[in-house]
Amino acid sequence: MEVEHWLPAHEISVVTAISVREVMSAFDAVRRTESATLTFWRHHEDEMPNYEQGLDLIIGVSRGCYMATAADGDGDWLELIGDPCATGEVELVVGGQSAGHPRRQLVTEEDAMAVAVEFTTTGELNFASRQWVHC
């Protein structure tokens, strides 16, 4: 298991065999930034991550808002839904660019942290336990 987090200056920090404590530390680091991405992936030690084939989790953070996107291992991507009744968009910085993001796809820091901990401790995501929808 690895986690990669991008800081504003696109510094990349990679940690292998991540622990719950390291997940919390990564969230502490990105909490103080304008925009950051936490990327978690599973792959064998001798190969590079392949977003088309494994299970991946991406947590986006912008202006205090959190988003979670995951690959299900079959090539499909899903978004975690925070409030299914929310409408409209909120302007966030994603990938260094300002863009509108659907309000219903914003989740709490606690929910984002919970799926990150679930993924790093089990190597899986239980898509039935939370409200995930296909992108």
Side-chain angles (χ1 to χ4, degrees):
M1 179 75 63
E2 294 189 2
V3 62
E4 169 180 86
H5 63 277
W6 294 328
L7 298 174
H10 296 288
E11 294 175 31
I12 297 177
S13 183
V14 177
V15 180
T16 58
I18 188 165
S19 69
V20 172
R21 193 171 110 231
E22 289 165 322
V23 169
M24 302 302 177
S25 176
F27 271 83
D28 286 341
V30 300
R31 189 179 294 122
R32 297 182 296 270
T33 66
E34 173 75 6
S35 173
T37 303
L38 294 170
T39 304
F40 302 84
W41 63 78
R42 238 182 9 173
H43 65 93
H44 297 290
E45 197 172 298
D46 59 343
E47 65 186 29
M48 289 299 294
N50 181 341
Y51 294 108
E52 305 276 322
Q53 298 175 348
L55 179 63
D56 305 298
L57 172 65
I58 300 169
I59 305 288
V61 184
S62 176
R63 301 177 176 156
C65 297
Y66 292 79
M67 301 143 285
T69 304
D72 66 2
D74 293 327
D76 292 327
W77 287 89
L78 296 98
E79 295 278 346
L80 183 60
I81 299 299
D83 178 359
C85 297
T87 60
E89 292 186 339
V90 62
E91 196 76 16
L92 300 175
V93 177
V94 179
Q97 305 226 348
S98 185
H101 195 83
R103 287 186 190 278
R104 70 188 202 109
Q105 293 175 352
L106 300 181
V107 299
T108 65
E109 179 182 19
E110 292 78 19
D111 284 344
M113 199 176 300
V115 295
V117 168
E118 174 187 352
F119 187 66
T120 56
T121 57
T122 68
E124 302 289 334
L125 284 170
N126 181 354
F127 292 110
S129 70
R130 296 180 187 275
Q131 196 161 8
W132 291 91
V133 295
H134 283 89
C135 298

